[in-house]
Amino acid sequence: MRIAIGCDHAGYRLKGVLIDRLHALGHSVTDFGTDGTASVDYPDHAHLVTGAIIAGEADLGVLICGTGIGMSMAANKRPGIRAAAVSETFSARATREHNDANVICIGERVVGPGVAVDILDAFLGASFEGGRHQRRIDKIESLG
Ligand code: RB5
């Protein structure tokens, strides 16, 4: 798959770990920064990653900040984006299967790199189940 990834300064180290994992799995990765630990604003990188998805240039997105929460809030402002902040594998899988999430948000200050890789694997390994879940997503879209 084509994966867009981005982070702020608090997620920079974990971004490198997850890029390595994505490459090892054979995915095409586009890195939207940030490129170091100097302080930046996470909405800027959420905007870039979600922009790639909206433009059809990426299939899924990965966003990392300190908690994953700010990134998810910013990403979910964008039309067609369903971003989930996740800190364990059950939710990572379920948010693909039930919510058709197209962005996973992870907090580098919340989970260690091993758990983060497992979360990424669970997210990428799951598929949207459709059916009754599509009706609920349609209702989410209608709330906007
Ligand atoms: C940065 O200090 C921190 O606020 C940010 O990475 C994130 O955790 C926000 O949700």
Side-chain angles (χ1 to χ4, degrees):
M1 282 187 282
R2 300 167 303 163
I3 310 294
I5 191 166
C7 67
D8 72 356
H9 53 285
Y12 173 68
R13 291 180 183 83
L14 182 56
K15 177 165 68 82
V17 172
L18 297 184
I19 287 174
D20 288 348
R21 180 60 177 167
L22 289 165
H23 283 148
L25 293 171
H27 296 290
S28 166
V29 181
T30 304
D31 181 359
F32 288 94
T34 188
D35 299 320
T37 55
S39 183
V40 296
D41 297 333
Y42 56 83
D44 296 336
H45 297 276
H47 184 84
L48 293 171
V49 166
T50 55
I53 296 168
I54 291 164
E57 296 164 0
D59 302 306
L60 296 174
V62 179
L63 287 167
I64 310 129
C65 62
T67 61
I69 295 170
M71 283 293 198
S72 68
M73 288 180 171
N76 279 317
K77 296 287 286 184
R78 302 274 270 161
I81 297 300
R82 291 174 300 280
V86 164
S87 56
E88 34 72 31
T89 55
F90 179 87
S91 298
R93 183 171 58 252
T95 200
R96 284 288 296 131
E97 292 174 346
H98 289 202
N99 313 127
D100 198 18
N102 49 14
V103 178
I104 189 98
C105 304
I106 304 174
E108 182 179 316
R109 295 172 178 164
V110 180
V111 299
V115 172
V117 167
D118 285 353
I119 287 169
L120 182 66
D121 286 356
F123 183 71
L124 296 175
S127 302
F128 181 50
E129 291 179 353
R132 67 190 186 281
H133 302 299
Q134 184 60 56
R135 180 179 70 245
R136 293 160 185 166
I137 287 165
D138 292 343
K139 289 189 176 185
I140 292 174
E141 296 299 329
S142 74
L143 293 175

